[in-house]
């Protein structure tokens, strides 16, 4: 949960929420953009929080949001810190939702960010051998969940919650950026 209070004559904010994002993520993103209204001239920082447990194609949701006028986005998937990953919640005003996405556009504010990775390769190199949109289904021809459980030392990841940093090895000679 993050709370920020800004008082300014030059900064305005607008929040929007869409439900049932898994049914049509592209439409959901476009609808978010429409609900946020036309982006005014000048800087805008846009944040999106969504329900990752739906298996939603987040790329399609973000593409729809870009078509709706909000191409630069920060935020992420809603989390559940411990225990079985059954349900996440998104909040907007007095509403508590699941299978939804919440967007916040702050007009008159430019977000300053930098690309950082925070990890170093450990030498383990695996290959994604099957994926669907942004969902990894197989790693080295094995079910991705089995590989993840093995690497993290879990008997069943549905009983644990953890993060595993995944990186993509660029072709030789590719610039870092």
């Amino acid at each position: 949960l993050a709370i920020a209070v800004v008082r300014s004559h030059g900064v305005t904010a607008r929040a929007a929420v869409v439900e049932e994002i898994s049914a049509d993520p592209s439409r959901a993103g476009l609808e978010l953009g429409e609900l946020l209204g036309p982006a005014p001239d000048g800087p805008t920082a846009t944040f999106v929080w969504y329900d990752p447990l739906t298996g939603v194609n987040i790329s399609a949701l973000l593409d729809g949001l870009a078509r709706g006028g909000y191409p630069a986005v920060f935020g992420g998937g809603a989390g559940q810190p411990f225990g079985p990953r059954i349900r996440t919640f998104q909040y907007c005003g007095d509403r508590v939702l699941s299978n939804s996405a919440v967007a916040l556009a702050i007009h008159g504010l430019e977000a300053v960010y930098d690309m950082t990775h925070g990890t170093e390769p450990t030498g383990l190199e695996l290959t994604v051998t099957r994926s669907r949109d942004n969902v990894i289904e197989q790693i080295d021809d094995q079910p991705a969940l089995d590989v993840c459980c093995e690497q993290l030392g879990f008997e069943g990841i549905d009983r644990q919650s953890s993060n595993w940093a995944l990186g993509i090895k660029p072709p030789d000679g590719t610039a870092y950026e």
Side-chain angles (χ1 to χ4, degrees), residues 132-149:
R132 180 181 41 81
D133 298 322
N134 61 315
V135 177
I136 297 172
E137 295 178 339
Q138 286 188 347
I139 299 173
D140 286 343
D141 296 317
Q142 301 296 314
L145 186 58
D146 292 351
V147 174
C148 185
C149 288

PDB file of all heavy atoms in Angstrom, residues 132-149:
ATOM      1  N   ARG A 132       3.242 -18.397 -23.741  1.00  0.00           N
ATOM      2  CA  ARG A 132       2.001 -17.894 -24.337  1.00  0.00           C
ATOM      3  C   ARG A 132       1.890 -16.449 -23.880  1.00  0.00           C
ATOM      4  O   ARG A 132       1.757 -16.175 -22.703  1.00  0.00           O
ATOM      5  CB  ARG A 132       0.807 -18.703 -23.858  1.00  0.00           C
ATOM      6  CG  ARG A 132      -0.529 -18.257 -24.425  1.00  0.00           C
ATOM      7  CD  ARG A 132      -1.683 -19.100 -23.889  1.00  0.00           C
ATOM      8  NE  ARG A 132      -1.612 -19.418 -22.482  1.00  0.00           N
ATOM      9  CZ  ARG A 132      -1.983 -18.594 -21.492  1.00  0.00           C
ATOM     10  NH1 ARG A 132      -2.444 -17.394 -21.777  1.00  0.00           N
ATOM     11  NH2 ARG A 132      -1.902 -18.973 -20.231  1.00  0.00           N
ATOM     12  N   ASP A 133       2.004 -15.528 -24.838  1.00  0.00           N
ATOM     13  CA  ASP A 133       2.028 -14.095 -24.523  1.00  0.00           C
ATOM     14  C   ASP A 133       3.145 -13.842 -23.503  1.00  0.00           C
ATOM     15  O   ASP A 133       4.279 -14.160 -23.767  1.00  0.00           O
ATOM     16  CB  ASP A 133       0.662 -13.610 -24.033  1.00  0.00           C
ATOM     17  CG  ASP A 133      -0.422 -13.778 -25.092  1.00  0.00           C
ATOM     18  OD1 ASP A 133      -0.121 -13.550 -26.275  1.00  0.00           O
ATOM     19  OD2 ASP A 133      -1.562 -14.139 -24.740  1.00  0.00           O
ATOM     20  N   ASN A 134       2.800 -13.316 -22.337  1.00  0.00           N
ATOM     21  CA  ASN A 134       3.816 -13.021 -21.326  1.00  0.00           C
ATOM     22  C   ASN A 134       3.894 -14.102 -20.246  1.00  0.00           C
ATOM     23  O   ASN A 134       4.507 -13.889 -19.207  1.00  0.00           O
ATOM     24  CB  ASN A 134       3.533 -11.655 -20.685  1.00  0.00           C
ATOM     25  CG  ASN A 134       2.188 -11.629 -19.988  1.00  0.00           C
ATOM     26  OD1 ASN A 134       1.192 -12.103 -20.522  1.00  0.00           O
ATOM     27  ND2 ASN A 134       2.152 -11.083 -18.796  1.00  0.00           N
ATOM     28  N   VAL A 135       3.322 -15.269 -20.488  1.00  0.00           N
ATOM     29  CA  VAL A 135       3.320 -16.358 -19.505  1.00  0.00           C
ATOM     30  C   VAL A 135       4.313 -17.434 -19.947  1.00  0.00           C
ATOM     31  O   VAL A 135       4.187 -18.007 -21.031  1.00  0.00           O
ATOM     32  CB  VAL A 135       1.907 -16.974 -19.367  1.00  0.00           C
ATOM     33  CG1 VAL A 135       1.924 -18.141 -18.395  1.00  0.00           C
ATOM     34  CG2 VAL A 135       0.914 -15.913 -18.914  1.00  0.00           C
ATOM     35  N   ILE A 136       5.306 -17.708 -19.099  1.00  0.00           N
ATOM     36  CA  ILE A 136       6.276 -18.762 -19.382  1.00  0.00           C
ATOM     37  C   ILE A 136       5.646 -20.092 -19.008  1.00  0.00           C
ATOM     38  O   ILE A 136       5.253 -20.292 -17.859  1.00  0.00           O
ATOM     39  CB  ILE A 136       7.587 -18.536 -18.592  1.00  0.00           C
ATOM     40  CG1 ILE A 136       8.235 -17.225 -19.029  1.00  0.00           C
ATOM     41  CG2 ILE A 136       8.537 -19.708 -18.793  1.00  0.00           C
ATOM     42  CD1 ILE A 136       9.429 -16.824 -18.184  1.00  0.00           C
ATOM     43  N   GLU A 137       5.541 -21.011 -19.971  1.00  0.00           N
ATOM     44  CA  GLU A 137       4.920 -22.309 -19.726  1.00  0.00           C
ATOM     45  C   GLU A 137       5.946 -23.419 -19.530  1.00  0.00           C
ATOM     46  O   GLU A 137       5.718 -24.329 -18.735  1.00  0.00           O
ATOM     47  CB  GLU A 137       3.967 -22.660 -20.869  1.00  0.00           C
ATOM     48  CG  GLU A 137       2.779 -21.707 -20.949  1.00  0.00           C
ATOM     49  CD  GLU A 137       1.840 -22.010 -22.100  1.00  0.00           C
ATOM     50  OE1 GLU A 137       2.264 -22.670 -23.078  1.00  0.00           O
ATOM     51  OE2 GLU A 137       0.680 -21.595 -22.011  1.00  0.00           O
ATOM     52  N   GLN A 138       7.052 -23.380 -20.282  1.00  0.00           N
ATOM     53  CA  GLN A 138       8.087 -24.408 -20.161  1.00  0.00           C
ATOM     54  C   GLN A 138       9.469 -23.766 -20.139  1.00  0.00           C
ATOM     55  O   GLN A 138       9.720 -22.790 -20.847  1.00  0.00           O
ATOM     56  CB  GLN A 138       8.044 -25.399 -21.328  1.00  0.00           C
ATOM     57  CG  GLN A 138       6.905 -26.374 -21.273  1.00  0.00           C
ATOM     58  CD  GLN A 138       7.042 -27.445 -22.349  1.00  0.00           C
ATOM     59  OE1 GLN A 138       7.839 -27.335 -23.281  1.00  0.00           O
ATOM     60  NE2 GLN A 138       6.246 -28.495 -22.224  1.00  0.00           N
ATOM     61  N   ILE A 139      10.344 -24.346 -19.340  1.00  0.00           N
ATOM     62  CA  ILE A 139      11.747 -23.965 -19.284  1.00  0.00           C
ATOM     63  C   ILE A 139      12.544 -25.241 -19.495  1.00  0.00           C
ATOM     64  O   ILE A 139      12.332 -26.233 -18.792  1.00  0.00           O
ATOM     65  CB  ILE A 139      12.113 -23.327 -17.933  1.00  0.00           C
ATOM     66  CG1 ILE A 139      11.284 -22.057 -17.704  1.00  0.00           C
ATOM     67  CG2 ILE A 139      13.604 -23.022 -17.855  1.00  0.00           C
ATOM     68  CD1 ILE A 139      11.439 -21.442 -16.330  1.00  0.00           C
ATOM     69  N   ASP A 140      13.441 -25.222 -20.472  1.00  0.00           N
ATOM     70  CA  ASP A 140      14.216 -26.416 -20.830  1.00  0.00           C
ATOM     71  C   ASP A 140      13.302 -27.635 -21.011  1.00  0.00           C
ATOM     72  O   ASP A 140      13.581 -28.728 -20.508  1.00  0.00           O
ATOM     73  CB  ASP A 140      15.303 -26.704 -19.790  1.00  0.00           C
ATOM     74  CG  ASP A 140      16.470 -25.740 -19.885  1.00  0.00           C
ATOM     75  OD1 ASP A 140      16.610 -25.061 -20.931  1.00  0.00           O
ATOM     76  OD2 ASP A 140      17.250 -25.662 -18.923  1.00  0.00           O
ATOM     77  N   ASP A 141      12.192 -27.443 -21.708  1.00  0.00           N
ATOM     78  CA  ASP A 141      11.217 -28.490 -22.031  1.00  0.00           C
ATOM     79  C   ASP A 141      10.550 -29.120 -20.811  1.00  0.00           C
ATOM     80  O   ASP A 141       9.971 -30.200 -20.899  1.00  0.00           O
ATOM     81  CB  ASP A 141      11.853 -29.582 -22.905  1.00  0.00           C
ATOM     82  CG  ASP A 141      12.291 -29.046 -24.256  1.00  0.00           C
ATOM     83  OD1 ASP A 141      11.517 -28.271 -24.862  1.00  0.00           O
ATOM     84  OD2 ASP A 141      13.408 -29.380 -24.694  1.00  0.00           O
ATOM     85  N   GLN A 142      10.613 -28.460 -19.662  1.00  0.00           N
ATOM     86  CA  GLN A 142       9.952 -28.921 -18.438  1.00  0.00           C
ATOM     87  C   GLN A 142       8.893 -27.886 -18.052  1.00  0.00           C
ATOM     88  O   GLN A 142       9.052 -26.705 -18.349  1.00  0.00           O
ATOM     89  CB  GLN A 142      10.966 -29.072 -17.294  1.00  0.00           C
ATOM     90  CG  GLN A 142      12.092 -30.047 -17.570  1.00  0.00           C
ATOM     91  CD  GLN A 142      11.574 -31.465 -17.748  1.00  0.00           C
ATOM     92  OE1 GLN A 142      10.750 -31.940 -16.980  1.00  0.00           O
ATOM     93  NE2 GLN A 142      12.055 -32.139 -18.792  1.00  0.00           N
ATOM     94  N   PRO A 143       7.832 -28.306 -17.342  1.00  0.00           N
ATOM     95  CA  PRO A 143       6.850 -27.323 -16.883  1.00  0.00           C
ATOM     96  C   PRO A 143       7.540 -26.233 -16.057  1.00  0.00           C
ATOM     97  O   PRO A 143       8.336 -26.520 -15.159  1.00  0.00           O
ATOM     98  CB  PRO A 143       5.881 -28.147 -16.030  1.00  0.00           C
ATOM     99  CG  PRO A 143       6.021 -29.550 -16.560  1.00  0.00           C
ATOM    100  CD  PRO A 143       7.466 -29.678 -16.966  1.00  0.00           C
ATOM    101  N   ALA A 144       7.253 -24.973 -16.386  1.00  0.00           N
ATOM    102  CA  ALA A 144       7.913 -23.842 -15.733  1.00  0.00           C
ATOM    103  C   ALA A 144       7.726 -23.874 -14.219  1.00  0.00           C
ATOM    104  O   ALA A 144       8.655 -23.574 -13.467  1.00  0.00           O
ATOM    105  CB  ALA A 144       7.390 -22.530 -16.300  1.00  0.00           C
ATOM    106  N   LEU A 145       6.558 -24.259 -13.744  1.00  0.00           N
ATOM    107  CA  LEU A 145       6.308 -24.306 -12.305  1.00  0.00           C
ATOM    108  C   LEU A 145       7.210 -25.340 -11.631  1.00  0.00           C
ATOM    109  O   LEU A 145       7.745 -25.084 -10.547  1.00  0.00           O
ATOM    110  CB  LEU A 145       4.836 -24.611 -12.026  1.00  0.00           C
ATOM    111  CG  LEU A 145       4.407 -24.559 -10.566  1.00  0.00           C
ATOM    112  CD1 LEU A 145       4.693 -23.195  -9.948  1.00  0.00           C
ATOM    113  CD2 LEU A 145       2.929 -24.884 -10.445  1.00  0.00           C
ATOM    114  N   ASP A 146       7.421 -26.493 -12.275  1.00  0.00           N
ATOM    115  CA  ASP A 146       8.314 -27.510 -11.713  1.00  0.00           C
ATOM    116  C   ASP A 146       9.744 -26.993 -11.620  1.00  0.00           C
ATOM    117  O   ASP A 146      10.434 -27.195 -10.612  1.00  0.00           O
ATOM    118  CB  ASP A 146       8.291 -28.786 -12.558  1.00  0.00           C
ATOM    119  CG  ASP A 146       6.959 -29.520 -12.487  1.00  0.00           C
ATOM    120  OD1 ASP A 146       6.109 -29.137 -11.642  1.00  0.00           O
ATOM    121  OD2 ASP A 146       6.775 -30.464 -13.278  1.00  0.00           O
ATOM    122  N   VAL A 147      10.212 -26.316 -12.664  1.00  0.00           N
ATOM    123  CA  VAL A 147      11.572 -25.767 -12.662  1.00  0.00           C
ATOM    124  C   VAL A 147      11.702 -24.708 -11.574  1.00  0.00           C
ATOM    125  O   VAL A 147      12.690 -24.685 -10.827  1.00  0.00           O
ATOM    126  CB  VAL A 147      11.935 -25.189 -14.045  1.00  0.00           C
ATOM    127  CG1 VAL A 147      13.282 -24.482 -14.012  1.00  0.00           C
ATOM    128  CG2 VAL A 147      11.929 -26.286 -15.102  1.00  0.00           C
ATOM    129  N   CYS A 148      10.714 -23.847 -11.458  1.00  0.00           N
ATOM    130  CA  CYS A 148      10.728 -22.798 -10.437  1.00  0.00           C
ATOM    131  C   CYS A 148      10.786 -23.415  -9.039  1.00  0.00           C
ATOM    132  O   CYS A 148      11.595 -23.007  -8.204  1.00  0.00           O
ATOM    133  CB  CYS A 148       9.500 -21.912 -10.592  1.00  0.00           C
ATOM    134  SG  CYS A 148       9.474 -20.494  -9.491  1.00  0.00           S
ATOM    135  N   CYS A 149       9.952 -24.402  -8.779  1.00  0.00           N
ATOM    136  CA  CYS A 149       9.949 -25.066  -7.461  1.00  0.00           C
ATOM    137  C   CYS A 149      11.309 -25.704  -7.176  1.00  0.00           C
ATOM    138  O   CYS A 149      11.827 -25.594  -6.059  1.00  0.00           O
ATOM    139  CB  CYS A 149       8.848 -26.124  -7.397  1.00  0.00           C
ATOM    140  SG  CYS A 149       7.186 -25.458  -7.319  1.00  0.00           S
TER     141      CYS A 149
END
